[in-house]
Amino acid sequence: MTQTPDRPSTDLGLHVQGEAAQLNPVADKAQLFDYRQAANPIRSGLTEPIPYRCWGADLHSSGPSGILPLDLSSELGTSGPATSPGLAAHFIRIEAGEGVRAAASATSSLFFVLSGEGVCRVRETDQDTTIRWSEGDLFVLPCGGTPLLEATSTSVLYWVHDAPLLHYLGALPSEPRFDATHYRGAWLRSELLKLAEQPGSASSNRISLLLANRDLPSTRTVTHVLWAMYGIVPPGATQAPHRHQSVALDLIIDCQPGVYTLVGTELNADGSIRNPKRIDWEAGGAFITPPGHWHSHVNESGKPAYLLPIQDAGLQTHLRSLDIRFA
Ligand SMILES: [Fe+2]
């Protein structure tokens, strides 16, 4: 029996079973949809598209110690805090001498230190992990334990984890897939500068390091779910657009006014983005690049700009669904 036309648009094409199904409780929730009307459920009111969104550094520049979620759960229709369907990003502000527990039911937690110094401790029954961090450091933790972040000087960290993905799956993390790993800021900076000084880099506007882990040779990503890139956009750069099916939760580490990202869903014949939205960068700010959207970074500031996009590209690579393309 096809539903009557006065059904909500999200139910278009819904077929329900006859009265016989009411006598069979195992059949009670079975539905069928007409493929021609229901093939793409990503639409407003059903599976919400991922919106553009920016957060400024004022969110974490003052205030008491605490976790500041970049939460779009009401827009995305997820039942727990989420910045994208699979990932949750936060700022963590910790006053000197204080501590914050970063609890999440996640397979992967990534922390980047925007400012300050301190110690991360994770206590487990068979192993203790201690990471002493300072500005510019990045570290990743697998599932297990609840990290305690204690600041020796007032600190701000960017924290991304995959608890929304596990919540959607109805799964609990059980087995670490990688060891806790610390990427020191001094090492990241010196390797990026070496890259920038290589012959050919002057004419390239893609100078970036992909963070990888010996435990994850096939995806070459920072965890088996998360992907992280430490990059510089040189002054005068206008990157050719690219796109990928991973979502990007972009953190701007440092920049001057005049750096921005153009983003949109289609390209013009000349390879530029059609009717792009401009997202201006701010040091210590963050923004979302939705999956599949073309994007291009532009630096008109006269100074180098530094960014750290975090994506679910470890997972997308494993699924062979990353589909990265360049204009
Ligand atoms: Fe990208």
Side-chain angles (χ1 to χ4, degrees), residues 242 244 248 295 311:
H242 75 284
H244 34 75
H295 48 288
Q311 304 182 7

Side-chain angles (χ1 to χ4, degrees), residues 2-310:
T2 303
Q3 286 305 105
T4 52
D6 60 355
R7 277 264 177 176
S9 61
T10 53
D11 284 353
L12 279 177
L14 174 65
H15 300 240
V16 296
Q17 297 184 81
E19 291 174 5
Q22 294 171 7
L23 304 174
N24 179 2
V26 185
D28 187 45
K29 292 184 179 173
Q31 293 181 317
L32 297 172
F33 285 90
D34 180 340
Y35 178 89
R36 295 168 296 180
Q37 296 171 60
N40 184 5
I42 301 174
R43 54 179 128 136
S44 184
L46 199 54
T47 297
E48 294 288 339
I50 298 177
Y52 295 131
R53 197 56 49 89
C54 298
W55 292 269
D58 56 339
L59 188 61
H60 56 71
S61 58
S62 62
S65 298
I67 295 172
L68 306 158
L70 311 185
D71 185 20
L72 297 182
S73 54
S74 58
E75 286 98 323
L76 294 169
T78 59
S79 55
T83 315
S84 74
L87 303 182
H90 323 67
F91 291 114
I92 305 178
R93 181 178 169 84
I94 318 171
E95 292 289 303
E98 297 184 0
V100 166
R101 286 202 178 274
S105 181
T107 78
S108 302
S109 269
L110 179 149
F111 299 87
F112 179 79
V113 184
L114 270 169
S115 61
E117 292 185 348
V119 184
C120 170
R121 291 191 178 88
V122 189
R123 288 242 157 86
E124 291 182 78
T125 45
D126 56 342
Q127 190 181 356
D128 285 352
T129 300
T130 300
I131 295 172
R132 296 183 186 283
W133 39 264
S134 56
E135 183 175 321
D137 285 10
L138 186 151
F139 53 97
V140 287
L141 302 173
C143 64
T146 297
L148 172 62
L149 303 159
E150 293 177 298
T152 49
S153 67
T154 296
S155 300
V156 175
L157 286 80
Y158 184 60
W159 176 32
V160 178
H161 63 65
D162 60 356
L165 173 65
L166 295 193
H167 189 261
Y168 172 71
L169 295 173
L172 294 173
S174 58
E175 187 182 337
R177 294 292 190 204
F178 58 93
D179 286 336
T181 304
H182 186 181
Y183 303 76
R184 291 198 176 278
W187 180 50
L188 293 172
R189 279 190 293 274
S190 72
E191 292 301 318
L192 188 62
L193 288 177
K194 272 192 232 168
L195 200 60
E197 287 164 4
Q198 281 182 2
S201 287
S203 58
S204 169
N205 53 29
R206 289 187 191 281
I207 304 166
S208 299
L209 295 166
L210 295 173
L211 280 67
N213 190 306
R214 286 187 218 277
D215 284 344
L216 307 163
S218 61
T219 57
R220 295 184 168 177
T221 48
V222 72
T223 83
H224 57 314
V225 172
L226 299 178
W227 174 104
M229 189 195 85
Y230 181 59
I232 181 173
V233 181
T238 298
Q239 289 186 346
H242 75 284
R243 48 153 287 176
H244 34 75
Q245 289 308 110
S246 46
V247 70
L249 308 181
D250 297 89
L251 174 71
I252 302 309
I253 299 170
D254 193 24
C255 74
Q256 299 295 313
V259 190
Y260 55 90
T261 294
L262 299 175
V263 58
T265 55
E266 293 176 61
L267 293 180
N268 295 310
D270 66 358
S272 61
I273 299 170
R274 185 173 301 163
N275 300 322
K277 177 179 173 60
R278 172 173 165 157
I279 299 172
D280 279 278
W281 290 19
E282 178 192 356
F287 63 90
I288 296 180
T289 305
H293 288 222
W294 292 98
H295 48 288
S296 162
H297 305 314
V298 181
N299 185 350
E300 296 174 347
S301 75
K303 300 280 185 189
Y306 297 87
L307 77 160
L308 181 80
I310 309 299

